[in-house]
Amino acid sequence: MTDAGSEPDRGTSGSVRHRDAIFPLLVIQPGAFHPYGTPGYVADMLSMGLRPVDLTRGAIDEITGWQVRMERGRVAELTRRGTAAWWRADATTGGVDVEWRKAAKARRQMVLLVLPPGRPAGEQDDITGQMLRACSEGVASGGVIPVRGTFF
């Protein structure tokens, strides 16, 4: 998904409470800026079936047509029905810990959170702050999606 001359995509994993349970969380932040800025990016996410996500309020919808594919215990790619892979992991973005894999295997679902592209100055490594800010500003997209593949 990264364009030539842009920042690399960033991905991280964790967990989030949803429906009184813990779900695995995958956060993706594309490196390439959208030509129409954040409003254009949010509109594109909505047109692809992703929904607004606010982790602070537990507002996470189940979405259809998307899934995460695992390969040998690593996140390999995000796919959207009828299209090629929307996002592919590289050596730095596909790793998830054993607890994440156990939860994903048990639930066969996870929470996807897509942040708008770009890294605010001074926040290059503060993905948690960016997640919370994007949620509170209404510009984080995603939902609960299926997880398929080989978990271990």
Side-chain angles (χ1 to χ4, degrees):
M1 190 166 168
T2 301
D3 294 335
S6 68
E7 291 283 328
D9 294 347
R10 183 162 59 167
T12 191
S13 61
S15 60
V16 63
R17 181 166 287 284
H18 175 57
R19 296 187 304 221
D20 295 324
I22 301 297
F23 278 69
L25 170 70
L26 180 64
V27 181
I28 304 295
Q29 185 178 34
F33 282 96
H34 193 279
Y36 297 103
T38 299
Y41 187 76
V42 170
D44 281 355
M45 296 298 99
L46 287 170
S47 74
M48 288 188 273
L50 298 179
R51 298 287 162 243
V53 173
D54 187 347
L55 297 177
T56 63
R57 292 195 174 105
I60 310 170
D61 295 330
E62 287 196 32
I63 55 175
T64 59
W66 286 80
Q67 75 174 7
V68 168
R69 189 174 59 77
M70 303 283 295
E71 278 183 7
R72 295 178 302 226
R74 292 181 56 80
V75 171
E77 64 186 11
L78 281 166
T79 59
R80 189 167 62 100
R81 188 178 310 140
T83 65
W86 181 78
W87 178 82
R88 284 193 174 92
D90 60 25
T92 63
T93 58
V96 290
D97 67 26
V98 70
E99 294 305 316
W100 193 101
R101 292 191 308 262
K102 285 179 184 177
K105 185 175 182 180
R107 295 203 169 284
R108 299 291 179 170
Q109 289 184 314
M110 55 147 279
V111 173
L112 170 65
L113 182 66
V114 181
L115 304 180
R119 321 272 194 279
E123 293 188 12
Q124 299 299 325
D125 297 321
D126 183 18
I127 191 81
T128 302
Q130 288 181 41
M131 285 175 16
L132 295 174
R133 188 170 7 278
C135 286
S136 70
E137 292 172 358
V139 296
S141 304
V144 177
I145 64 174
V147 183
R148 307 284 185 257
T150 54
F151 295 88
F152 293 93

